Amino acid sequence: MSPSPSSPTTPRAPADTDLSGIRGYLFDLDGVLTPTAIVHMHAWARLFTPYLEQHGAAPYREADYFAHIDGKPRYDGVRSLLASRDIRIPEGDVTDAPTQDTVHGLGNRKNEAFNETLADEGVAPYATSVAFLDAVQASGCLVAVVSSSKNAPAVLEAAGLADRFEVVVDGAVAAREGLPGKPAPDTFERAAALLGLPTAACAIVEDAESGVKAGAAGDFGIVIGVDRGVGRDALVELGADVVVDELDELIPALQRVEEERSDVSKPTPGFETRPPTSGAPQPTDFETRPPTSGAPQPTREEGRA
């Protein structure tokens, strides 16, 4: 399946999307399956609002989250935001305390805030995303989660989705295997390999700029953008083949694939196999037909090759 080109002015209608060649769906987590993007946004705002003020830099804005942080590994998000304000601090180490003024210290401070919020508030998955997930798995397709967050297993557990995904490629897996994070396509490619599928048979499901870029950078069957604030036109420009507000908008496209498969499996009229007449000997494929009148026939010896 090769998706047709889209443009910001002529986006593909979700119900008309061709999913016939897709056998696996690689889901981002935050903002796609669960509304934990809001928890992340609030945690980043609590981190950078006072921090930027202390450094006399331009105030932190919601747009900063989408432009510099969303979808990236945590420390990359810190680096990107600081670079946007021309702030340079030491890298530090992953073991840095959250109080240290280093890239890793700030990242660890943000992680503390996220975990506290998740524990206090919990998280429920998007009902429309679960409906799409149900339809995908009912169709026999495979699924995986690909998240930049090292908290993905905890979020899946809190959302009651942990048992739905045997393959989870998160920030911890990427660090352990030395995989570059989004917008590089490597983590999605790793998930496809773990599912045993070629990338061309996999759909990327993303809401983040960096995630859509990652999907567009790889040889994937289709990139599905979920608009949680980036904007439909922006997602298409970044490489999304189709953009939805909610994933259940794609269920009719899945159902059409199932109907087409069902039609192909039906016997062609006029070619149904009839049962043999009881007791009558049935000719084999190689049974000799009566000779044409007057035509000489080879002897048994002459007929051998």
Side-chain angles (χ1 to χ4, degrees):
M1 188 200 77
S2 44
S4 60
S6 300
S7 75
T9 54
T10 57
R12 181 185 301 173
D16 297 332
T17 303
D18 179 12
L19 300 175
S20 58
I22 300 302
R23 291 184 285 143
Y25 288 79
L26 313 181
F27 292 87
D28 179 38
L29 179 58
D30 302 327
V32 171
L33 294 173
T34 60
T36 36
I38 299 297
V39 182
H40 283 290
M41 287 176 68
H42 291 168
W44 283 108
R46 286 197 298 271
L47 170 67
F48 276 123
T49 298
Y51 187 86
L52 295 180
E53 184 178 346
Q54 292 165 9
H55 284 74
Y60 181 80
R61 304 179 305 273
E62 185 175 287
D64 286 318
Y65 175 79
F66 295 108
H68 305 297
I69 296 170
D70 189 21
K72 296 179 181 178
R74 191 188 331 138
Y75 302 126
D76 286 349
V78 173
R79 294 185 191 99
S80 180
L81 191 285
L82 294 179
S84 75
R85 302 303 199 272
D86 200 27
I87 297 175
R88 295 177 176 82
I89 60 175
E91 274 288 310
D93 184 81
V94 291
T95 60
D96 284 356
T99 53
Q100 290 184 249
D101 192 23
T102 64
V103 168
H104 288 85
L106 288 177
N108 294 341
R109 193 183 311 173
K110 180 266 169 183
N111 199 50
E112 278 193 345
F114 174 83
N115 286 330
E116 289 170 0
T117 305
L118 184 63
D120 291 342
E121 301 177 6
V123 63
Y126 292 107
T128 51
S129 296
V130 173
F132 179 67
L133 176 62
D134 289 342
V136 164
Q137 292 187 298
S139 74
C141 290
L142 304 177
V143 296
V145 162
V146 181
S147 173
S148 296
S149 174
K150 293 183 178 180
N151 298 312
V155 172
L156 286 168
E157 190 67 41
L161 297 175
D163 61 342
R164 304 289 292 271
F165 296 94
E166 292 185 8
V167 173
V168 177
V169 178
D170 66 351
V173 172
R176 184 171 65 248
E177 299 188 9
L179 302 173
K182 306 170 189 177
D186 300 60
T187 50
F188 284 119
E189 291 169 347
R190 179 60 174 148
L194 290 172
L195 290 177
L197 296 174
T199 54
C202 292
I204 304 300
V205 190
E206 266 284 358
D207 72 311
E209 291 186 19
S210 60
V212 171
K213 285 181 181 178
D219 182 29
F220 298 99
I222 190 170
V223 179
I224 299 168
V226 184
D227 185 13
R228 303 291 190 199
V230 173
R232 301 178 72 86
D233 287 354
L235 290 171
V236 172
E237 288 173 355
L238 290 165
D241 297 298
V242 60
V243 178
V244 298
D245 292 319
E246 300 293 345
L247 281 174
D248 63 349
E249 295 170 40
L250 289 167
I251 291 179
L254 274 175
Q255 292 172 334
R256 187 173 64 253
V257 173
E258 288 299 293
E259 291 168 0
E260 291 170 354
R261 289 174 180 166
S262 176
D263 289 342
V264 168
S265 66
K266 291 178 181 177
T268 304
F271 290 93
E272 294 89 347
T273 302
R274 291 179 172 83
T277 304
S278 177
Q282 299 303 307
T284 67
D285 290 340
F286 302 100
E287 182 174 0
T288 303
R289 287 180 169 76
T292 304
S293 176
Q297 299 301 310
T299 66
R300 189 176 299 275
E301 290 298 322
E302 291 170 339
R304 290 178 181 169

